[in-house]
């Protein structure tokens, strides 16, 4: 056995540091620290002195840097110290050699090659290990062309005589040579490096297994203790031992030993073998359409052995799971599977557009519009971008789709993404993206019109106007653009020019609904503003408005008003009759018409007629009653006010008699409560009958009772509210009732103040103590 | 106005028992066959569904939308072969060879020199 750890060689540069003679305390301190192998302290002590005044200091300081570098567990951390040592003594081959090792291990092959060459030039004494790592470096540099690279580099290997043949055989997979190694030769190793026990057994075993001598290989490799060999050699042992075990019917043992070794050591061959077995299992599951167990198994495999086949298996399972979830409406699950598929496949995923498309649908299912829009955009980005006219004409297909179909799909997806962005309220983004889309498709006038509509909604009138002009330059009779143009003119207060544009639209297409309604409104607005002297003109304009939009009762009422003012009562009545024929809503409008004209007699007649026809509902009575109440409040004359108030009561009683909903009653009570508690009370009582545990209804009743002097009844009602709050199962609801109670003082109901305070105090105490209990 | 994602089990192709790649002529043929089988008087509910499905698929724009609101077929590529060296990976041999070299060593007493005072 050769000497693996020769004694330290005698120094070639004996640095005669004599601190006493120079009188430098730092020298002595450094020396002491060096002796104790405290190299950092030594470097600090010597580093504070000037090496120029003490030339013998340089080799000592360099040695301290070198020693500290050798002590680094991580070789790359040694590089600065080695460079410092070389800065002091550049001709020392040892420093170059170790710098080469550090760079080599760091993957910096070019720098390592240079450092090794300089080590050789400066006479690094251990020539064989140096030649060996130089040979290894060349082998590694030939990565990608390994076999020829190895063959070229082999002559460069400088090994012990008895190691050359086995290592060459291993590198060239020459199993015959390895299997023929004598059972107990001297242990080979690189000259000048420590011996590796078990090496020969390993190489022979590899050869035996390589030659298919399974039993012999099993015996040879199995006899080596697992901790005998360094990690990479032990991994080789397990690779070949596993093969021998498998061939001798011990597949389970092979799997076990491979997995255990792979958990400790990195080895691509072993990883591939474990992956192969695992993939075979996963592919069998895929064949049985059992997708679920494949995904975690593939994830686990990819952690240790990232390979395209495992990614492919995982992708198939994820896609199928996504489809199953989607088909059953489990959108979130589908999105998760497809998202993982996209992540796993990365940029090169085949069919990425389809995957992103499906993910977009899954996001839409969850109403996650923003994510859905992003997924649609990803699908677009993955589709072919340049679809030239030539290619369209040539009918060149893209992934099974004709160019025309692909263009249609692209456009649909672009719009879909835009619309989804619009749903998220990200108007700026939508405007910007649509602008880009318009730039690519300037003749898509529908798209441009969508942009106009959004710009107008956003109040960007100038930008909208520019877009409208662009559309009209392409198609001067584009009806949508002309209508939008009229809208712009109206927004600028230019009614007359708007009227001209709208008339132009209707000249092209008389039935155009928007233009008809808009023109009717323009005419009505203009007619209303005409002075009384221009009755004839106003009447003509309103008649045209009615003709344009006959189902809008408002125009008929405006016309009836003009006609009545002009003493054409009969014609006015005809318009009112026509309005009433439009439906229940028109009855409310006609009621409002007579209220505006303060004609109580006509109102009473209208109500009598409506009741006879059965067209009046609680809402009509409530609205009508409140209209009459407002007139009564505004009226300066007592008699008139009383008459209107009396009719108000009649209408509200009718409302109550016609079975109003709780919400209708609550609206009525809240309107009447503070100014007219006596009016509100019967409706509050009726509401309390419909909602006996509704806290807000009860509180309204308490306030109405209090307002009408029924203090005891009000207190009892308030205590009822307290009971409702206490018995409420949902604490948040109960807390909100408490919040409602706090409103009472603001209503100025002084008679309830004491009760309110007591109820609040007790309730709040209870809530506080419960909160403390919770905490 | 964009259409929302169809509800689960509202796939018009499924309703008509057709593949999404069906031609317009075959679509029409299948529709009339189904309508004869499930007439408005015989099976009004099914008839209504068949008609709605046909209406979605017989208009090119609506069919495009229907097609794009369904999960797209994702043609999984044939699984690539497992990337492995038939015998032994070169990188493992190199790693083993390294373990015989100074690259995997930690102690280098023979490379150190004494510093004498």
């Amino acid at each position: 056995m050769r000497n693996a750890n020769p004694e330290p060689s005698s120094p070639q540069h004996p640095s005669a540091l004599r601190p006493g003679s120079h009188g430098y305390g730092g020298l002595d301190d450094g020396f002491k620290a060096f002796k104790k192998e405290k190299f950092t302290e030594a470097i600090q002590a010597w580093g504070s002195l000037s090496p120029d005044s003490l030339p013998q200091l340089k080799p000592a300081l360099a040695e301290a840097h070198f020693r500290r570098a050798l002590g680094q567990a991580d070789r790359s951390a040694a590089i600065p110290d080695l460079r410092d040592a070389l800065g002091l003594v550049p001709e020392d081959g040892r420093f170059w050699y170790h710098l080469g090792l550090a760079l080599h291990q760091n993957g910096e092959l070019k720098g390592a090659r240079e450092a090794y060459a300089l080590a050789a030039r400066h006479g690094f004494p251990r020539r064989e290990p140096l030649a060996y790592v130089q040979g290894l470096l060349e082998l590694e540099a030939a990565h990608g062309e390994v076999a020829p690279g190895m063959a070229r580099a082999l002559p460069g290997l400088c090994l012990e005589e008895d190691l050359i043949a086995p290592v060459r055989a291993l590198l060239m997979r020459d199993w015959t040579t390895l299997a023929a190694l004598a059972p107990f030769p001297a242990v080979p190793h690189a000259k000048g490096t420590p011996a590796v026990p078990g090496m020969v057994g390993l190489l022979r075993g590899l050869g035996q297994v390589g030659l298919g001598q399974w039993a012999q290989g099993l015996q040879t490799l199995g006899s080596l203790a697992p901790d005998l060999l360094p990690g990479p050699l032990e991994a080789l042992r397990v690779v070949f031992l596993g093969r021998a075990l498998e061939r001798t019917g011990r597949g389970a043992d092979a799997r076990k030993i491979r997995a255990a070794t792979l958990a400790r050591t990195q080895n691509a061959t072993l990883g591939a073998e474990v992956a192969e077995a695992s993939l075979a299992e996963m592919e069998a599951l895929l064949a049985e359409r059992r997708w679920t167990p494949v995904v975690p198994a593939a994830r686990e495999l990819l952690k240790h052995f990232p390979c395209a086949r495992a990614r492919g298996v995982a992708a198939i399972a994820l896609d199928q799971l996504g489809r199953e979830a989607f088909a059953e409406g489990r959108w979130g699950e589908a999105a998760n599977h497809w998202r993982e598929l996209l992540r796993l496949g990365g940029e090169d995923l085949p069919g990425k557009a389809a995957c992103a498309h499906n993910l977009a649908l899954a996001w839409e299912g969850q109403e996650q519009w923003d994510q859905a829009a992003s997924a649609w955009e990803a699908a677009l980005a993955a589709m072919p971008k340049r679809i030239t006219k030539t290619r369209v004409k040539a009918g060149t297909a893209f992934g099974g789709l004709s160019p025309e179909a692909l263009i249609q799909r692209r456009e649909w997806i672009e719009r879909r993404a835009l619309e989804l962005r619009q749903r998220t309220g990200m108007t700026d983004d939508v405007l910007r993206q649509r602008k880009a889309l318009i730039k690519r498709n300037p003749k898509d006038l529908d798209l441009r019109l969508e942009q106009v509509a959004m710009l107008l909604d956003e109040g960007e009138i100038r930008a909208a106007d520019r877009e409208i002009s662009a559309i009209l330059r392409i198609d001067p009779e584009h009806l949508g653009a002309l209508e939008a143009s009229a809208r712009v003119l109206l927004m600028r207060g230019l009614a007359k020019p708007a009227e001209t544009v709208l008339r132009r639209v209707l000249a092209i297409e008389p039935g155009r609904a928007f233009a008809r309604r808009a023109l009717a409104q323009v005419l009505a607005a203009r007619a209303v503003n005409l002075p009384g002297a221009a009755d004839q003109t106003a009447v003509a304009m309103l008649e045209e408005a009615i003709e344009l939009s006959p189902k809008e009762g408002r125009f008929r009422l405006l016309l009836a008003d003009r006609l009545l003012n002009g003493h054409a009562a009969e014609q006015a009545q005809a318009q009112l009759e026509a309005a009433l024929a439009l439906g229940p809503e028109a009855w409310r409008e006609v009621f409002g018409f007579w209220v505006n004209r303060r004609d109580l007699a006509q109102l009473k007649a209208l109500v009598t007629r409506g009741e006879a026809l059965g067209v009046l509902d609680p809402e009509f009575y409530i609205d009508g009653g409140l209209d009459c109440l407002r007139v009564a409040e505004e009226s300066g004359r007592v008699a008139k006010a009383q008459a209107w108030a009396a009719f108000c009561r009649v209408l509200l009683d009718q409302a109550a008699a016609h079975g109003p909903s709780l919400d209708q009653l609550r609206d009525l009570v809240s309107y009447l409560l503070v100014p007219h508690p006596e009016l509100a009370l019967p409706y509050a009582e009726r509401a309390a009958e419909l909602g006996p545990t509704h806290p807000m209804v009860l509180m309204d009743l308490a306030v109405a009772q209090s307002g009408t002097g029924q203090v005891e009844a009000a207190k009892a009602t308030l205590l009822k509210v307290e009971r409702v709050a206490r018995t409420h199962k949902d604490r948040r609801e109960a807390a909100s009732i408490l919040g409602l109670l706090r409103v009472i003082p603001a209503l100025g109901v002084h008679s309830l103040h004491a009760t309110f305070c007591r109820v609040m105090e007790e309730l709040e105490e209870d809530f506080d103590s419960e909160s403390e209990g919770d905490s | 106005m964009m259409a929302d994602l169809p509800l689960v089990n509202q796939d018009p192709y499924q309703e008509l028992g057709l593949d999404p790649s069906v031609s317009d002529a075959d679509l029409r043929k299948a529709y009339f066959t189904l309508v004869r089988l499930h007439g408005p008087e015989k099976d009004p509910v099914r008839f209504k569904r068949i008609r709605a499905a046909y209406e979605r698929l017989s208009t090119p724009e609506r069919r495009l939308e229907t097609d794009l609101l369904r999960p797209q077929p994702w043609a999984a590529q044939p699984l690539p072969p497992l990337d492995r060296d038939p015998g032994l990976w070169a990188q493992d041999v190199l790693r083993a060879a390294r373990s015989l070299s100074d690259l995997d060593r930690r102690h280098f007493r023979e490379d150190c020199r004494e510093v004498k005072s």
Side-chain angles (χ1 to χ4, degrees), chain A residues 282-298:
Chain A
M282 285 189 261
E283 286 169 35
L285 289 169
L286 288 186
E288 293 167 22
R289 304 182 66 79
R290 290 170 58 198
W291 323 114
T292 311
V294 173
V295 174

Side-chain angles (χ1 to χ4, degrees), chain A residues 588-735:
Chain A
R588 275 196 285 280
E589 285 179 358
V590 174
F591 189 95
F593 174 84
W594 290 120
V595 168
N596 287 339
R597 293 189 72 90
R598 301 293 188 265
D599 194 330
L600 198 52
Q602 286 288 358
L603 285 172
K604 286 179 179 173
L606 182 71
V607 170
T608 307
R609 193 173 152 204
E611 278 172 352
L613 293 169
V615 292
L616 308 183
D617 57 12
E619 202 175 333
F620 174 91
Y621 288 115
I622 290 172
D623 288 350
L626 294 179
D627 279 347
C628 292
L629 184 62
R630 272 191 290 275
V631 176
E633 286 170 342
E634 286 163 16
S635 178
R637 287 164 49 203
V638 177
K640 191 180 172 190
Q642 281 174 343
W644 280 89
F647 192 53
C648 160
R649 279 177 187 278
V650 169
L651 292 173
L652 295 182
D653 286 346
Q654 282 297 319
H658 276 75
S661 69
L662 181 59
D663 284 344
Q664 284 172 329
L665 282 170
R666 283 187 59 199
D667 285 347
L668 176 61
V669 170
S670 68
Y671 186 86
L672 297 172
L673 194 58
V674 175
H676 304 286
E678 75 293 345
L679 257 179
L681 184 60
Y683 310 114
E685 285 169 344
R686 182 72 195 278
E689 282 167 24
L690 293 176
T693 57
H694 194 301
M696 197 64 208
V697 168
L698 292 175
M699 280 173 48
D700 284 348
L701 177 59
V703 174
Q705 286 166 330
S706 170
T708 51
Q710 300 176 32
V711 177
E712 289 309 311
K715 286 176 186 171
T717 307
L718 206 51
L719 290 170
K720 214 171 170 183
V721 180
E722 180 197 358
R723 278 199 298 280
V724 170
R726 280 183 193 287
T727 55
H728 219 294
K729 283 178 188 164
D730 187 336
R731 277 178 50 82
R732 267 185 299 187
E733 279 293 319

Side-chain angles (χ1 to χ4, degrees), chain A residues 13 15 17 31 34 63 66-67 75 92 94 97-98 104-105 126 129 132 139-140 146 171 173 190 193-194 232-233 236 240 243 266-269 272 276 279 308-309 312-313 315-316 319 323 326-327 329 350-351 355 357-358 361 365 409 412 416 419-420 423, chain B residues 1-9 61 64-65 67-77 79-117:
Chain A
H13 302 283
S15 307
L17 299 176
F31 182 72
F34 189 91
E63 192 68 25
F66 179 60
R67 296 279 191 102
R75 270 226 173 93
D92 193 321
R94 295 172 305 144
Y97 177 64
H98 283 274
H104 190 163
Q105 204 139 46
R126 294 192 296 115
Y132 185 49
L139 284 177
E140 288 166 27
V146 177
L171 292 169
R173 282 87 150 177
T193 62
L233 292 170
L236 281 194
F240 283 74
R243 288 175 188 173
Q266 207 187 346
N267 185 284
T269 312
E276 195 172 29
L279 277 168
R309 194 173 179 92
V313 165
I316 292 171
D319 182 57
R323 283 170 198 281
F326 189 89
C355 291
H357 185 124
N358 296 343
L361 294 178
R409 279 176 176 237
W412 187 91
R416 187 84 181 172
E419 284 169 3
L420 291 176
R423 278 193 189 186
Chain B
M1 188 67 189
M2 75 180 201
D4 281 335
L5 208 59
L7 296 173
V8 174
N9 300 330
E61 293 79 19
L64 174 72
E65 185 169 70
D67 287 347
L68 294 177
L69 286 176
R70 306 174 78 250
Q72 298 302 290
W74 177 66
Q77 302 297 302
L79 289 174
L82 189 63
D83 186 16
R84 58 170 296 214
D85 190 300
L88 199 54
W89 284 49
Q91 67 201 74
D92 295 333
V93 181
L94 286 171
R95 204 174 285 134
R98 263 178 170 233
S99 72
L100 299 170
S101 77
D102 278 353
L103 284 163
D104 279 13
R105 275 183 71 192
R106 284 280 150 253
H107 303 290
F108 294 92
R109 287 191 60 206
E110 71 269 37
D111 287 344
C112 298
R113 288 185 190 151
E114 280 303 300
V115 173
K116 291 187 178 174
S117 59

Side-chain angles (χ1 to χ4, degrees), chain A residues 150-213:
Chain A
M150 283 176 177
R152 275 203 305 275
L154 279 176
L157 286 178
C158 183
L159 301 165
E160 285 286 1
E161 284 300 313
D162 46 4
L163 187 60
I164 292 174
V167 170
R168 186 196 297 264
L170 175 62
L171 292 169
M172 299 307 290
R173 282 87 150 177
D174 175 4
W175 311 123
T176 310
T177 303
L178 292 177
L181 284 176
F184 302 104
V187 176
H189 58 93
K191 206 187 281 178
T193 62
V196 177
M199 192 51 201
V200 170
L202 170 73
L203 293 173
R204 205 155 61 86
L206 300 190
Q208 288 164 336
V209 174
L211 289 176
Q213 298 167 4

Side-chain angles (χ1 to χ4, degrees), chain A residues 338 355-365 368 371-373 375-376 379 420:
Chain A
W338 281 326
C355 291
H357 185 124
N358 296 343
L359 178 60
L361 294 178
W363 285 126
E364 283 201 22
Q368 301 282 342
Q371 282 100 324
W376 285 122
L420 291 176

